[in-house]
Amino acid sequence: MHPPAILLLGPTASGKTASSLALAQTLPIEIVSVDSALVYRDMDIGTAKPSADERAQCPHHLIDVVSPEENYSAARFRADALALMHDITARGRIPVLAGGTMLYFKALRDGLSDLPSADAELRRQIDAEAAERGWPAMHAELARLDPDAATRLEPNDGHRIQRALEIVRLTGRPVADSYAQREDDDVPFRLLTIALVPSDRAVLHRRIEDRFAQMLEAGLIAEVQALRARYALDPAMPSMRCVGYRQVWDYLGGRDDYDTMKFKGIAATRQLAKRQLTWQRQFREAWQDLQEIDCLRPDLAATVRQTAQAWLEG
């Protein structure tokens, strides 16, 4: 029988950190972060990175592993996560993969698609076109070339529009064709997948608003200023496209005033949560082991712990 591993996924502000730490109270676990922002060093406030006290409660992995100047791909995550899962199991402990980057969860469970590698020159060309025409116009071009891909993207989601156009221009085929050509890589673990979902999305939205305000009070603007001073960054880098950082970058550049920056940061975080929940609905249909738990219930952490214990004992 394969060794056990627990996947804990949910939208932003759904209580993943507290729930994963609750597992550590009764189970011999180590936590592997599944978050495309937590991998970056010196990006602490805007990523809601676990505190030193929280990280001291049990071992954490894939946090602070790359510079904000670097890229970190789904392929690299899958390789890193599988290696860590084997190491954790060899120590007689249970890997808990917790986070909200749904693409990483999909890459881990379903394998990697046959996507072309990034083409730096083509990306510069697309960025130059976007600077001249705007991302909505680039989205319209994508809709002409690949209508299905365009319907899944917001007209101002420059990062994803850029990648979709890059794939279409490199392959001459719709994006879905490349995703369909997937490596058959089974995960050699017995998986429990717990998805945190809100029974009332308005409550989750209020949490998001409160949390972003707390990030600003905690010094998010100063954090971005320090990042700009320490590293050679530009707003096109994946690290600076993270929700919150992108809006503060525009504020520091004089593009928006403070209230507009705050409004955009909250709106972008809500859009992120919406995309995460869309991913989770797709996972519900595809993954038979997935169990959903209302992230708004007052006994969430205890329920997650009880669900995992019952599964391990079953």
Side-chain angles (χ1 to χ4, degrees), residues 186-233:
D186 291 332
V187 180
F189 288 85
R190 181 167 57 98
L191 298 176
L192 167 65
T193 304
I194 298 174
L196 305 183
V197 294
S199 54
D200 185 344
R201 196 171 295 190
V203 175
L204 182 67
H205 286 177
R206 287 195 293 272
R207 282 190 184 181
I208 288 170
E209 182 174 354
D210 291 343
R211 189 165 79 160
F212 192 72
Q214 291 166 5
M215 288 176 176
L216 290 172
E217 292 173 4
L220 177 58
I221 294 172
E223 180 172 89
V224 178
Q225 288 174 321
L227 289 165
R228 288 166 59 130
R230 181 171 183 178
Y231 299 101
L233 300 174

Side-chain angles (χ1 to χ4, degrees), residues 60-287:
H60 284 65
H61 305 278
L62 293 188
I63 296 177
D64 296 334
V65 295
V66 297
S67 159
E69 298 167 322
E70 298 179 65
N71 293 336
Y72 189 87
S73 66
R76 180 172 173 183
F77 165 79
R78 190 177 197 274
D80 289 347
L82 285 172
L84 285 164
M85 292 168 75
H86 286 295
D87 291 345
I88 293 166
T89 298
R91 290 192 285 271
R93 302 174 70 83
I94 300 170
V96 172
L97 290 92
T101 300
M102 303 304 168
L103 176 61
Y104 286 7
F105 280 113
K106 184 170 179 60
L108 176 69
R109 289 201 48 148
D110 296 341
L112 296 167
S113 304
D114 184 22
L115 296 175
S117 299
D119 185 303
E121 180 57 35
L122 179 54
R123 288 193 170 187
R124 282 192 291 271
Q125 177 184 334
I126 294 171
D127 280 340
E129 292 176 29
E132 179 179 347
R133 301 166 54 197
W135 284 112
M138 303 303 289
H139 183 266
E141 179 183 342
L142 178 63
R144 180 177 60 82
L145 298 172
D146 187 348
D148 288 341
T151 59
R152 294 179 173 85
L153 302 179
E154 298 292 332
N156 286 305
D157 191 347
H159 180 62
R160 291 176 175 82
I161 294 171
Q162 178 201 60
R163 180 56 174 157
L165 281 171
E166 179 186 34
I167 292 170
V168 172
R169 290 183 181 182
L170 286 172
T171 66
R173 305 192 309 269
V175 174
D177 286 0
S178 295
Y179 275 103
Q181 299 178 36
R182 187 177 301 280
E183 296 177 9
D184 184 16
D185 286 331
D186 291 332
V187 180
F189 288 85
R190 181 167 57 98
L191 298 176
L192 167 65
T193 304
I194 298 174
L196 305 183
V197 294
S199 54
D200 185 344
R201 196 171 295 190
V203 175
L204 182 67
H205 286 177
R206 287 195 293 272
R207 282 190 184 181
I208 288 170
E209 182 174 354
D210 291 343
R211 189 165 79 160
F212 192 72
Q214 291 166 5
M215 288 176 176
L216 290 172
E217 292 173 4
L220 177 58
I221 294 172
E223 180 172 89
V224 178
Q225 288 174 321
L227 289 165
R228 288 166 59 130
R230 181 171 183 178
Y231 299 101
L233 300 174
D234 68 63
M237 290 179 173
S239 62
M240 291 300 102
R241 287 182 172 178
C242 291
V243 168
Y245 291 90
R246 177 176 15 178
Q247 289 73 34
V248 173
W249 183 287
D250 288 344
Y251 165 71
L252 291 173
R255 179 174 177 180
D256 294 322
D257 60 28
Y258 181 88
D259 289 339
T260 301
M261 175 272 293
K262 183 177 179 181
F263 174 81
K264 287 184 175 181
I266 292 169
T269 310
R270 288 177 176 175
Q271 285 296 316
L272 170 62
K274 180 181 178 181
R275 292 194 298 270
Q276 290 168 319
L277 290 169
T278 298
W279 276 98
Q280 289 185 189
R281 285 196 296 272
Q282 296 170 355
F283 294 160
R284 181 195 309 151
E285 299 173 1
W287 299 344

